[in-house]
Amino acid sequence: MRPAGRQRGACVIVGTRGASGRHASDESPAVELRGITKRFPGVVANRDVELTVRRGTVHAVVGENGAGKSTLMKILYGVQAPDEGTIAVDGTVRQLGSPSDAIAAGIGMVFQHFQLADNLTVLENVVLGAERRHGIGEAARTAIRELSAAYGLGVDPDALVATLGVGARQRVEILKVLFRGARIVILDEPTAVLVPQEVDELFDNLRGLKAEGLTVLFISHKLDEVLRVADAITVIRRGTTVAEVHPKEVSARELAELMVGSELPSPSTEESTVTDTPLLTVVDTSLDDPSGGRRLLEGIDLTVHAGEVVGIAGVEGNGQAELVEVVMGMREPTSGRILLGEQDVSSWPVRALREAGIGYVPEDRHRHGLLLEAPLWENVVLGHQTDPLYRTGPGGTLVDAAAARRETEQVVAQYDVRTPSIDVTAGSLSGGNQQKLILGREMRRSPRVLVAAHPTRGVDVGAQAAIWDHIKAARRAGLGVLLVSADLEELVGLSDTIRVILRGRLTGDFDPDTVTKEQLGAAMTGAAR
Amino acid sequence: MSRLQRRRVLLALAAPALAVVVAFVVTSLILVVARDPVGQVWATLLTPPRPRLVVAILNGAIVYYVSAVAVAIGFRMNLFNIGVDGQYRVAAFAAAVVAGQAWLPGPLNVALGLVVAMLAGGLWAGIAGLLRIYRGVSEVISTIMLNAIATFLVAYLLRKAAVDGGGSNVVSTRPLPDASRVPGLPLVPGVSREVYGLVFLAVLVGLVYWFVLSRTRFGFDLRATGASESAAVASGVDVRRMVVTSMILSGMTAGLVGMPLLFGQDYAYGSTFQPGLGFAGIAIALLGRNHPVGIAFAALLWAYLDQQSNALQITAGVSDKLVGVIQGVIVLSVVIAYELVRRGGVALEQRRVASLLDASSGRPAEGAPA
Ligand SMILES: Nc1ncnc2c1ncn2[C@@H]1O[C@H](COP(=O)(O)OP(=O)(O)OP(=O)(O)O)[C@@H](O)[C@H]1O
Ligand SMILES: [Mg+2]
């Protein structure tokens, strides 16, 4: 139910405004970080970081996983205190001890995990905690409407957040920040959850902010996007700033090499390895919405063969999460059957499916993939508690910690998880490194079928290429993959078949070798029919 | 590696120590405000206990220990079993009735009593577990209710099962036969009082608790569920079954709480059977951080304060209720202390990394082992 038409309309206005964007370049910079250093147990996340952000620009920060980008942004937003260094906002040095200090200084941040209450309206979400500014009534509603119009956000204050798609939620988050008076907006990997159309809309919004003299700082791993929208790019490598480049003067490849500090391997083209042995078959499967309303899944038919990657494209919230949960046994379908090989596994619990050789990379690594407070080696066992490798003692009732630790060393080495030790908690890894750990633990158990939702979300380009290579190698050996992704490049590059999911139905069937992004985009938003 | 572990142990000890110090200061302030003799109170509380009291302290700690472990099992899974109190009383009553019949000879009768107690405790706690998964009733509410029901149910059944107390108004079940009494251990020389023979039971409970949680697959699943239910579900844990199972295990352990008393001291369940052990268990589990060894020290401290309080009225003219205040303050400060120590630990680590870096001139950067 995303009012796509209206948003696009709003963006057009912004686009025209974008042209007159530059006017504040001669004043003091919006943000000036000097000599920022931040240490965590066993790692230095930031070392002597220097960063200058001019007012009224879109400034991108790029770098490998674990380079220290999120930490730097959290320092600027007052979530974490730097051990050394100074922060100047609009020319005055500030002590930012908490997010409220940062907000007072005109800085706002949108985190990658949205922080919205589903069962409240946009208005309620926006005013929550900022009631002082415009009250909670008509004045606040007017303020939201004005902000929304001024920056081309197309946000309806009375919509229920639960009914909004990801892109719209993100705009609500941005609006929340603006409502609190932010003149400097930080976005941590805002595009990771978006499909290309939504990315375009977001970038139009960012240009809108810029046109109004606001400053945007954002992190991304998608380098062509960065080149498209940024006015300046800062590269962080191993905790420190190594370069400041102008988007006109570098290519995505050069940027990637600056990040990594060495040359990137070229992606290899692959022969098809698809066989005609079905591994995972979903037959006419539907899922009712427990709270009434449209069915979450409707008559899904799908087969993954040995050696095949079936990609599911779709705008988030169209049933892909439910499809994955049904296949993984976390939700029972209302009707239909799921076959693993020849066997009907429709009513099997998660553990039995796991034991039968289904690997799982969940969409939300914090909620479903990791025990954030537990050490890495326990996290490697997670999901494979009953795997013979980790079982020991009478009847296999004990956990073989030594084996788990050895395996973790392997995962860390093979999947390039950057960590000081396997005894640190999973929560202390950077986002991309957490993702690599999950992928490594699943792939190294040699699954027959891999159900992967956004397997490289938040992973830097170098590591992404490495993960794709791992998946391709396993596919040659007969792995079947059900791949849900918002990253069209990933879908096109990995899949043998691409299916599009829209409002709970599989609508399209595309050949990745011939399909264009425009065709896919049209099918995903339903514009094709 | 081992340095990391040593540091962890030190940090783990710092928090409870800090809590005890805070409790010391706060209690002193209370005493000063109330114009009570501060020095005298601490002198009394800190006098080394006489051997007779040492035995009493050990015995108290044994019972507390089992109770706290029962609570800790729930805590590890984010279940708040407030009902240990009701569970141990129901269990002790059931065991006293069955063992009082003397169906089996000697030690076998003791074993039967223990089994009955575990079954009764597990059953009573299992009700709360089932209510939680089938009706979504919070186990906090249901176990509090079950405590109240246990009180009345046991009082009611005790009347029925009671034997004539010979003129006194104490009602109690039929006493155990002599052969089923577990002899005490003369661990402390020079006193006639002995340590409960079932001290072995407490040690065993601690060992099993440690082993199951840290070494077994079941324990892994339990801890995973406690740490993140959603991640546990995705990893294949059947959380509903886990809730019931751990609730029952917690209740079975709770069932053992009263056993040292029953078989080593009272030899029957009567209206004077020691109450309140379950609530002390909650505090002790918190102070001991759900750790089998930590709980042991916490239980000893609790029992020590209990016993030392008796002399307060006589030597310092201060009500022995003061000890309850001290215990309460310890529990409150322990929660705060853990947070403080955790932050202190992080800061310490950061300084250490920094100094290492200065020494080795820059090279170990992001991701480098420190
Ligand atoms: N709370 C924490 N405790 C300990 N270490 C941490 C913590 N947060 C981050 N780190 C460490 O600091 C380093 C930088 O992490 P950060 O999250 O800033 O990386 P990032 O550049 O955002 O990476 P990614 O692209 O993967 O999100 C990493 O090595 C990480 O392990
Ligand atoms: Mg990050």
Side-chain angles (χ1 to χ4, degrees):
Chain A
M1 283 268 117
R2 287 171 3 82
R6 201 187 55 215
Q7 285 151 16
R8 223 167 280 139
C11 294
V12 172
I13 307 170
V14 173
T16 51
R17 269 186 209 165
S20 60
R22 293 234 177 101
H23 48 66
S25 52
D26 50 338
E27 301 168 34
S28 52
V31 176
E32 195 164 17
L33 302 179
R34 287 279 159 268
I36 297 284
T37 295
K38 173 75 186 176
R39 303 180 191 90
F40 287 114
V43 262
V44 184
N46 290 147
R47 185 158 43 95
D48 272 333
V49 171
E50 306 277 322
L51 179 68
T52 305
V53 182
R54 276 183 300 120
R55 195 167 314 153
T57 61
V58 174
H59 194 117
V61 177
V62 299
E64 280 185 290
N65 293 131
K69 307 177 294 294
S70 297
T71 306
L72 191 64
M73 295 303 124
K74 285 182 193 156
I75 288 173
L76 184 54
Y77 189 51
V79 179
Q80 265 155 359
D83 297 329
E84 288 157 31
T86 58
I87 303 172
V89 182
D90 293 327
T92 33
V93 173
R94 300 257 192 177
Q95 292 292 328
L96 303 175
S98 70
S100 31
D101 290 351
I103 290 167
I107 301 175
M109 180 157 175
V110 176
F111 291 90
Q112 192 179 331
H113 287 255
F114 298 157
Q115 298 168 333
L116 297 173
D118 264 4
N119 49 357
L120 297 185
T121 64
V122 168
L123 171 74
E124 288 162 339
N125 266 290
V126 170
V127 298
L128 204 68
E131 297 84 356
R132 294 268 186 81
R133 294 195 75 90
H134 302 281
I136 56 168
E138 212 38 57
R141 182 172 285 113
T142 315
I144 291 176
R145 288 229 170 84
E146 281 170 8
L147 280 172
S148 172
Y151 299 110
L153 293 172
V155 168
D156 170 11
D158 295 310
L160 199 63
V161 166
T163 65
L164 300 180
V166 204
R169 283 176 195 228
Q170 193 166 54
R171 286 192 292 275
V172 175
E173 285 279 15
I174 294 175
L175 202 132
K176 227 167 101 180
V177 164
L178 297 176
F179 188 83
R180 285 159 175 72
R183 305 286 301 161
I184 299 164
V185 180
I186 308 172
L187 301 148
D188 193 349
E189 298 191 32
T191 59
V193 291
L194 302 182
V195 297
Q197 280 85 351
E198 293 173 317
V199 172
D200 290 341
E201 289 168 11
L202 172 71
F203 285 176
D204 283 338
N205 296 148
L206 297 189
R207 290 187 194 106
L209 296 180
K210 186 169 86 170
E212 296 296 319
L214 270 67
T215 309
V216 177
L217 247 169
F218 86 107
I219 299 178
S220 178
H221 287 296
K222 300 184 181 166
L223 301 179
D224 7 324
E225 289 175 5
V226 169
L227 291 177
R228 238 166 66 214
V229 74
D231 300 306
I233 304 171
T234 296
V235 182
I236 297 190
R237 191 196 310 155
R238 300 190 170 245
T240 195
T241 33
V242 291
E244 161 112 32
V245 292
H246 197 274
K248 299 269 158 22
E249 292 154 10
V250 286
S251 68
R253 209 176 157 77
E254 285 162 351
L255 201 51
E257 287 170 3
L258 273 174
M259 281 165 49
V260 182
S262 64
E263 278 189 33
L264 276 183
S266 305
S268 53
T269 45
E270 289 276 312
E271 288 295 301
S272 167
T273 57
V274 182
T275 65
D276 49 15
T277 326
L279 280 184
L280 177 73
T281 316
V282 180
V283 186
D284 195 21
T285 295
S286 298
L287 179 69
D288 283 344
D289 184 350
S291 56
R294 169 171 66 75
R295 281 190 159 185
L296 298 171
L297 293 176
E298 179 80 62
I300 301 276
D301 278 299
L302 177 83
T303 307
V304 180
H305 298 94
E308 183 184 31
V309 177
V310 175
I312 305 286
V315 177
E316 199 150 310
N318 273 283
Q320 49 274 72
E322 287 77 10
L323 174 61
V324 166
E325 285 179 359
V326 163
V327 170
M328 286 311 301
M330 292 161 71
R331 286 178 92 151
E332 193 149 350
T334 316
S335 64
R337 287 185 311 144
I338 294 165
L339 307 177
L340 188 61
E342 303 280 282
Q343 204 160 23
D344 190 332
V345 297
S346 310
S347 56
W348 285 22
V350 183
R351 179 149 288 171
L353 291 168
R354 292 262 203 176
E355 286 169 354
I358 302 191
Y360 177 37
V361 177
E363 166 179 341
D364 185 337
R365 54 185 170 242
H366 286 182
R367 265 173 60 73
H368 292 122
L370 295 169
L371 303 174
L372 292 174
E373 314 247 304
L376 296 193
W377 68 268
E378 290 196 355
N379 275 286
V380 164
V381 177
L382 190 72
H384 304 276
Q385 289 98 314
T386 53
D387 191 292
L389 177 65
Y390 305 124
R391 294 172 68 158
T392 180
T397 49
L398 306 186
V399 176
D400 189 343
R405 301 179 65 93
R406 279 196 300 275
E407 176 66 11
T408 307
E409 297 285 6
Q410 291 293 321
V411 170
V412 165
Q414 265 187 28
Y415 286 79
D416 188 29
V417 180
R418 307 275 171 91
T419 173
S421 119
I422 61 167
D423 291 296
V424 303
T425 58
S428 61
L429 292 189
S430 81
N433 282 307
Q434 291 172 346
Q435 190 70 24
K436 291 191 252 173
L437 183 81
I438 293 177
L439 223 115
R441 86 166 172 221
E442 299 301 325
M443 292 299 287
R444 273 189 52 86
R445 300 289 85 239
S446 335
R448 283 165 70 197
V449 176
L450 180 70
V451 177
H454 315 284
T456 58
R457 178 176 279 181
V459 169
D460 67 55
V461 277
Q464 188 178 44
I467 287 176
W468 288 348
D469 281 346
H470 281 293
I471 293 181
K472 285 176 184 166
R475 177 177 61 173
R476 271 197 297 282
L479 172 75
V481 182
L482 182 62
L483 171 73
V484 173
S485 182
D487 182 343
L488 290 194
E489 207 177 322
E490 178 165 76
L491 281 170
V492 170
L494 273 183
S495 309
D496 297 294
T497 324
I498 298 180
R499 312 285 302 268
V500 170
I501 192 164
L502 179 66
R503 297 193 203 99
R505 292 167 188 270
L506 287 181
T507 54
D509 201 339
F510 295 94
D511 178 351
D513 291 335
T514 55
V515 73
T516 64
K517 290 196 176 178
E518 287 66 35
Q519 284 171 329
L520 270 182
M524 282 157 64
T525 48
R529 41 212 68 222
Chain B
M1 239 333 286
S2 80
R3 204 162 69 207
L4 203 70
Q5 271 160 0
R6 237 192 0 252
R7 185 176 302 271
R8 281 203 189 129
V9 170
L10 274 181
L11 281 177
L13 292 182
L18 189 63
V20 171
V21 170
V22 170
F24 183 85
V25 172
V26 171
T27 314
S28 299
L29 285 177
I30 294 175
L31 288 171
V32 169
V33 171
R35 294 172 191 282
D36 271 326
V38 183
Q40 193 70 51
V41 166
W42 290 121
T44 309
L45 284 179
L46 297 176
T47 320
R50 265 165 298 157
R52 204 181 55 80
L53 274 189
V54 171
V55 177
I57 290 170
L58 284 176
N59 282 344
I62 289 169
V63 183
Y64 281 154
Y65 184 77
V66 181
S67 168
V69 169
V71 176
I73 293 172
F75 275 165
R76 289 307 290 265
M77 225 195 91
N78 273 343
L79 283 176
F80 287 79
N81 182 4
I82 311 292
V84 170
D85 216 66
Q87 288 145 21
Y88 91 82
R89 280 178 289 134
V90 168
F93 172 74
V97 170
V98 172
Q101 305 301 322
W103 284 321
L104 297 175
L108 280 182
N109 201 29
V110 179
L112 177 67
L114 296 182
V115 169
V116 168
M118 285 170 64
L119 285 180
L123 213 74
W124 202 247
I127 298 174
L130 292 175
L131 280 173
R132 160 93 185 249
I133 66 163
Y134 286 116
R135 282 285 164 269
V137 183
S138 155
E139 75 283 358
V140 177
I141 310 286
S142 59
T143 51
I144 289 176
M145 294 304 194
L146 284 166
N147 279 346
I149 298 173
T151 304
F152 295 116
L153 184 71
V154 170
Y156 166 74
L157 291 177
L158 189 55
R159 288 270 161 212
K160 304 214 153 215
V163 291
D164 190 5
S168 92
N169 53 6
V170 177
V171 246
S172 89
T173 57
R174 186 196 301 275
L176 302 175
D178 283 347
S180 301
R181 303 184 173 186
V182 178
L185 305 173
L187 289 185
V188 180
V191 271
S192 59
R193 234 176 138 170
E194 293 175 326
V195 175
Y196 296 143
L198 286 183
V199 61
F200 291 117
L201 185 68
V203 174
L204 190 69
V205 164
L207 282 175
V208 171
Y209 169 74
W210 166 80
F211 185 80
V212 168
L213 270 169
S214 63
R215 289 282 183 275
T216 67
R217 201 146 46 80
F218 172 79
F220 186 99
D221 285 356
L222 190 144
R223 284 184 290 127
T225 315
S228 164
E229 192 175 314
S230 50
V233 169
S235 84
V237 177
D238 183 343
V239 168
R240 287 157 61 88
R241 205 166 76 202
M242 208 64 194
V243 166
V244 178
T245 316
S246 52
M247 207 62 198
I248 289 177
L249 284 181
S250 175
M252 285 169 75
T253 313
L256 295 175
V257 170
M259 295 303 100
L261 298 169
L262 177 64
F263 288 103
Q265 176 180 307
D266 295 353
Y267 308 123
Y269 187 96
S271 44
T272 55
F273 202 79
Q274 191 177 347
L277 293 171
F279 297 118
I282 298 173
I284 295 167
L286 274 177
L287 180 60
R289 288 211 91 176
N290 301 331
H291 188 281
V293 177
I295 294 175
F297 282 108
L300 279 169
L301 176 67
W302 230 247
Y304 173 88
L305 287 171
D306 279 355
Q307 293 303 326
Q308 295 289 72
S309 71
N310 294 334
L312 276 182
Q313 192 74 58
I314 307 156
T315 54
V318 174
S319 162
D320 59 357
K321 294 284 182 286
L322 178 71
V323 162
V325 175
I326 301 180
Q327 291 173 334
V329 176
I330 291 181
V331 172
L332 276 185
S333 20
V334 91
V335 179
I336 302 165
Y338 284 140
E339 180 57 22
L340 287 181
V341 166
R342 198 185 59 77
R343 287 190 201 165
V346 172
L348 205 81
E349 188 74 31
Q350 287 173 357
R351 271 202 296 282
R352 198 172 66 84
V353 176
S355 64
L356 272 179
L357 272 179
D358 288 346
S360 65
S361 74
R363 177 40 213 139
E366 172 268 331

